[in-house]
Amino acid sequence: MSERTRVLLGRLVACEFGGVVLALMIGNQEGTLTDFGVATRDALSVPRIFLFLIIGLVIFALITFWPLVDPYLSRPGVRPLGAGLLVVIAGQTVMNWYDPLASSQGSGKFNAVRSAVSGSGVSSLAIAFFSWLAWTLFFVGLLACGAAIVTRLRPIGYLTALVGVTGAVLSYTSHTAVVNYDNHIDHSLGMYANIVGFLVIAGAGVTAVHARSDSANTRAFARSVMGYRPGLPFAVLGLILGLLAFTTDGWFGSLQINYTLADSHTAFAGQGLSALASQYLAWLGWTIFAVSAVLALAASWLRNRLLAWAAGLVALVGVILTFFTLRSMTEVGASVAPVYGTSWKNLGAGGFMTCIVFSLFASAASVVVASCPKAKDRRPGVKAWAADLPVTSMVQNAQRSTTGKSLLIIGGAVALFYPPTLTLTWQNVLVSQIGVFVLLALGLNVVVGWAGLLDLGYIAFYEIGSYTTAYLVGALPVKPPSWLQMSPLLTIPFAIVACLIAGVLLGAPTLRLRGDYLAIVTLGFGEIIQISAVNDPGGFTGGPQGPTVPHPRIRLGGFDLTWGQDFLPYWYLLLIILVIVIVLFYRLEGSRLGRAWAAIREDEVAAQASGVNTSRVKLLAFAIGASTSALAGSFFATQVGYFDPSLFTLQASILIVAYVVFGGMGSLQGAMAGAAALTWLPQFLKAQVPQDDRQMWIGALVLAMMIFRPAGLLPAKRRKAELEGLDSPASSEVSAVPASGAM
């Protein structure tokens, strides 16, 4: 046997063994106390195991023939093909397709629907789609798009587009056939994911055969799409979502009757709805939507600032009128038909989605206003906005700036109007886990990401902030003086001051320490605080039992606002806190202090030699990071109402460090993205994999990120330059040489 044969055989065995491991990882197999091998036998059963062996064989082929495949991976169409395939796989494996089936049988996923429709009275096309046609279209689209990428033949690209559009249409019609046959209310998202995935595959096929270059440039393509007609993509997306919101989305009683806009108009007629809300449900909502859509599309296409201002104004009016209509609907519905839910708990997603739609139109208008020159500044005979900027980098910066502002508007709208559409479980996750840990990650990013100081005791400041709030509201065994006892919201400044002092006390003795030594000292500090709280049952902290903190309440004249009855008020309070912290940190990053932190992180000796007061700067890093943790701790104590010292462990500190590293050290958006992703994922995996397997999947994701994206999910520019260099990748395209520069 030759050496090459032995290498190939070993590689094949390793890949097939990996397929067996995947078979053991994927699935809901559970063992029993009487038979420990039942889960293994189920995972490796025939014909299931053959699918994973085929996966191993495909991996073997990719590794072996990678030199032949690699030149084609940079071609146009590859990345959208990969994205579309992943979305379709997610839609047909992990997402629900029919919620009533999930309630009755425990699973409403694609395979469960396939089993349910088999032999039923659903249309034969829908049965075929769920049985074999969906996956057949998936593999045909994959093969056709791959062939289009390699050969650049337009008929094959058009075939890919036809397959993708067919898959999207059949996903919609088949899902609709199931819903109409069973006649139950469904809010699943699997069908929408499938539609998006198949349409992306269709676009990949067309892109592969119509691209003019041999090497794909995703950023240049995105800039060309956004710059072709500024704001047009946002306006088109708003039009599509708006049609769905006004025609198919539920506006009232989403869990029982799921009334659309037209149904709500009929049901609320004569029920005491305000005149404005009645007119909105009858005709005003449609009119404002149509006017704002036409104005946004026309302003984007014609690049007209006046039309853009009009579109933005109409969109703002639409958001206000939609909100007041929802308020009238929920109050009347709660009094007339309380069986469908109390106030703000009886509404569907349609009204909130409409607010997001109007925000999309406003975003399109803002892009047009920001990117198109004023009439008095436009040069005669020049129509294109980019032509007024002679330097290419200036054009790109203008596009990036306007797109960023529009995305900020859309992000704000989603943060305001999307949470009410979530279930109570996910609202709780959004507030008590995602929101709080995002705030903690922002604070730790100052210490670890900006100043380069590895702090493993960061959770101690979180604990100090929580206990400071508990003390000042009188929830601990040791009560404050009567003149010092206050409401929960007023304790926030005092908690910040307490953690500022604690941060300075920790930072002062550790100024000479670096690297692992600093990490060990901060780790010890965190353990001291946590153990002291546990071992003080009759003293200040109350021991392991923990305090019970009242919920906040604001009384100003006739205004009375009480938190604690729902999760959403806490979310909006936390959103205000996050916005303030993000704005302050954004300004801080570019300040003199932020640059000093960066200098210390890169080389403390060189920074000190350059005149940076390293002792003062490091103390400020500890103090500012600790104050942010205090803010999170004070909010957490008032939101959960009860906590104990077991929540503030070393594992929690390490998790926050992992959030910052996963998202991208030194990056504000990266810290937020990392915390949000790694706190959302365990909750999502609850319905996908057994409890004991969740950490394995999270670990696999983190490992893959460290291998393929070491700078993080959304890395800072400086960190990305350290790993990838400042120069852009070399292009294989032949550059045009002007005649005057030819030899």
Side-chain angles (χ1 to χ4, degrees):
M1 182 183 297
S2 64
E3 180 65 23
R4 175 172 174 76
T5 304
R6 282 196 298 270
V7 171
L8 293 177
L9 183 59
R11 183 182 299 165
L12 177 62
V13 172
C15 292
E16 293 298 340
F17 178 74
V20 174
V21 173
L22 279 178
L24 295 172
M25 290 176 60
I26 298 175
N28 293 319
Q29 300 86 12
E30 293 283 356
T32 65
L33 295 177
T34 57
D35 187 354
F36 296 107
V38 63
T40 303
R41 290 196 298 272
D42 290 342
L44 303 180
S45 61
V46 177
R48 185 178 189 274
I49 185 61
F50 290 117
L51 174 63
F52 293 94
L53 291 177
I54 292 174
I55 294 175
L57 188 61
V58 171
I59 296 174
F60 167 78
L62 287 175
I63 295 174
T64 304
F65 300 103
W66 187 258
L68 300 177
V69 177
D70 185 60
Y72 298 98
L73 295 181
S74 59
R75 285 195 173 186
V78 173
R79 292 184 179 179
L81 172 62
L85 294 177
L86 288 176
V87 173
V88 173
I89 291 174
Q92 296 183 181
T93 55
V94 302
M95 301 187 71
N96 278 344
W97 278 70
Y98 194 52
D99 287 340
L101 197 62
S103 302
S104 60
Q105 300 185 13
S107 175
K109 298 179 183 179
F110 192 85
N111 289 339
V113 176
R114 177 181 60 193
S115 302
V117 301
S118 179
S120 65
V122 182
S123 66
S124 57
L125 184 60
I127 294 176
F129 177 81
F130 286 105
S131 298
W132 58 271
L133 187 54
W135 285 110
T136 301
L137 290 172
F138 171 83
F139 287 110
V140 171
L142 170 61
L143 296 176
C145 191
I149 292 171
V150 174
T151 63
R152 297 290 187 91
L153 295 177
R154 292 193 175 184
I156 301 179
Y158 297 150
L159 174 63
T160 304
L162 178 62
V163 171
V165 173
T166 302
V169 172
L170 288 180
S171 298
Y172 176 79
T173 57
S174 301
H175 176 264
T176 304
V178 173
V179 174
N180 292 338
Y181 174 77
D182 200 44
N183 197 24
H184 282 81
I185 297 173
D186 177 54
H187 298 290
S188 61
L189 300 177
M191 177 262 294
Y192 297 102
N194 237 39
I195 291 175
V196 171
F198 274 116
L199 290 180
V200 171
I201 292 174
V206 175
T207 302
V209 297
H210 281 279
R212 298 180 179 179
S213 63
D214 292 331
S215 180
N217 190 333
T218 305
R219 292 185 179 180
F221 175 76
R223 285 196 296 265
S224 64
V225 171
M226 299 301 297
Y228 171 67
R229 288 291 188 273
L232 186 62
F234 296 117
V236 172
L237 179 61
L239 176 64
I240 296 173
L241 294 180
L243 291 175
L244 293 175
F246 278 91
T247 56
T248 62
D249 287 351
W251 283 62
F252 184 78
S254 58
L255 299 180
Q256 297 89 359
I257 49 179
N258 201 37
Y259 280 163
T260 62
L261 182 71
D263 297 332
S264 300
H265 169 62
T266 304
F268 279 92
Q271 298 296 332
L273 205 64
S274 65
L276 182 62
S278 298
Q279 297 304 316
Y280 185 96
L281 296 178
W283 61 274
L284 187 58
W286 270 107
T287 302
I288 296 176
F289 166 69
V291 172
S292 59
V294 170
L295 287 175
L297 290 170
S300 301
W301 188 262
L302 300 175
R303 299 168 181 171
N304 189 292
R305 291 172 59 90
L306 182 61
L307 291 177
W309 279 110
L313 180 61
V314 174
L316 178 61
V317 172
V319 171
I320 297 173
L321 293 182
T322 303
F323 178 78
F324 281 104
T325 300
L326 293 178
R327 180 180 179 182
S328 181
M329 288 175 60
T330 188
E331 291 177 350
V332 172
S335 60
V336 175
V339 67
Y340 299 128
T342 58
S343 294
W344 298 108
K345 296 182 180 179
N346 50 14
L347 298 174
F352 299 107
M353 183 58 67
T354 301
C355 292
I356 296 177
V357 166
F358 285 126
S359 301
L360 285 169
F361 292 146
S363 300
S366 68
V367 172
V368 176
V369 171
S371 59
C372 296
K374 297 180 181 179
K376 63 179 181 179
D377 299 331
R378 188 178 300 148
R379 296 186 305 208
V382 178
K383 296 182 179 180
W385 74 279
D388 293 338
L389 299 174
V391 183
T392 304
S393 61
M394 295 175 61
V395 176
Q396 295 176 358
N397 290 335
Q399 291 176 340
R400 190 179 300 112
S401 176
T402 53
T403 303
K405 292 177 182 178
S406 60
L407 291 177
L408 186 62
I409 296 175
I410 296 172
V414 172
L416 288 173
F417 301 117
Y418 180 68
T421 66
L422 298 173
T423 62
L424 291 178
T425 300
W426 279 106
Q427 287 180 3
N428 184 24
V429 171
L430 180 66
V431 174
S432 60
Q433 296 186 38
I434 294 179
V436 171
F437 279 108
V438 164
L439 193 55
L440 287 171
L442 286 172
L444 186 61
N445 185 60
V446 174
V447 183
V448 176
W450 289 351
L453 307 172
L454 182 55
D455 187 356
L456 295 182
Y458 185 71
I459 201 69
F461 304 113
Y462 184 48
E463 184 176 5
I464 292 173
S466 301
Y467 273 100
T468 302
T469 296
Y471 169 72
L472 293 176
V473 300
L476 295 178
V478 177
K479 306 296 181 183
S482 58
W483 57 269
L484 189 58
Q485 191 165 343
M486 59 190 70
S487 63
L489 288 182
L490 293 179
T491 65
I492 292 178
F494 295 91
I496 291 175
V497 171
C499 284
L500 276 172
I501 297 173
V504 173
L505 292 177
L506 172 63
T510 60
L511 293 178
R512 292 176 175 269
L513 300 177
R514 302 177 190 175
D516 299 340
Y517 301 101
L518 176 63
I520 292 172
V521 171
T522 55
L523 185 152
F525 173 76
E527 289 296 291
I528 289 172
I529 298 298
Q530 197 260 344
I531 294 174
S532 299
V534 173
N535 295 335
D536 191 23
F540 182 80
T541 65
Q545 182 176 355
T548 300
V549 181
H551 294 290
R553 186 174 186 177
I554 296 178
R555 293 180 182 177
L556 292 175
F559 181 76
D560 190 353
L561 178 61
T562 303
W563 281 266
Q565 301 174 354
D566 199 356
F567 296 112
L568 285 179
Y570 275 112
W571 164 248
Y572 294 117
L573 175 62
L574 182 61
L575 189 61
I576 294 173
I577 295 174
L578 282 172
V579 169
I580 294 174
V581 171
I582 292 170
V583 171
L584 292 178
F585 279 7
Y586 177 77
R587 301 294 297 176
L588 188 62
E589 183 181 12
S591 67
R592 182 175 181 178
L593 179 59
R595 295 193 298 271
W597 283 334
I600 290 177
R601 183 189 66 222
E602 300 302 326
D603 193 329
E604 185 174 345
V605 175
Q608 189 172 13
S610 301
V612 175
N613 188 341
T614 56
S615 300
R616 174 178 172 273
V617 169
K618 289 199 290 185
L619 280 179
L620 284 174
F622 275 111
I624 293 175
S627 65
T628 310
S629 184
L631 192 60
S634 182
F635 174 85
F636 170 77
T638 59
Q639 190 267 322
V640 298
Y642 168 79
F643 64 91
D644 61 78
S646 64
L647 299 174
F648 310 104
T649 60
L650 173 63
Q651 182 182 3
S653 279
I654 295 175
L655 279 177
I656 302 172
V657 175
Y659 298 156
V660 175
V661 176
F662 183 85
M665 288 194 300
S667 169
L668 285 177
Q669 62 269 29
M672 292 187 290
L678 290 184
T679 48
W680 166 83
L681 186 60
Q683 300 297 324
F684 173 75
L685 291 177
K686 281 185 177 180
Q688 312 301 330
V689 297
Q691 181 177 358
D692 295 337
D693 293 347
R694 292 174 201 161
Q695 297 302 321
M696 175 181 61
W697 283 99
I698 296 173
L701 174 64
V702 173
L703 182 62
M705 279 291 300
M706 294 301 101
I707 295 174
F708 298 105
R709 201 172 178 86
L713 197 61
L714 297 174
K717 293 181 180 179
R718 185 188 301 270
R719 176 66 173 165
K720 189 175 181 181
E722 291 174 357
L723 295 174
E724 300 179 6
L726 294 172
D727 298 330
S728 58
S731 174
S732 60
E733 294 298 307
V734 178
S735 301
V737 179
S740 59
M743 293 181 62

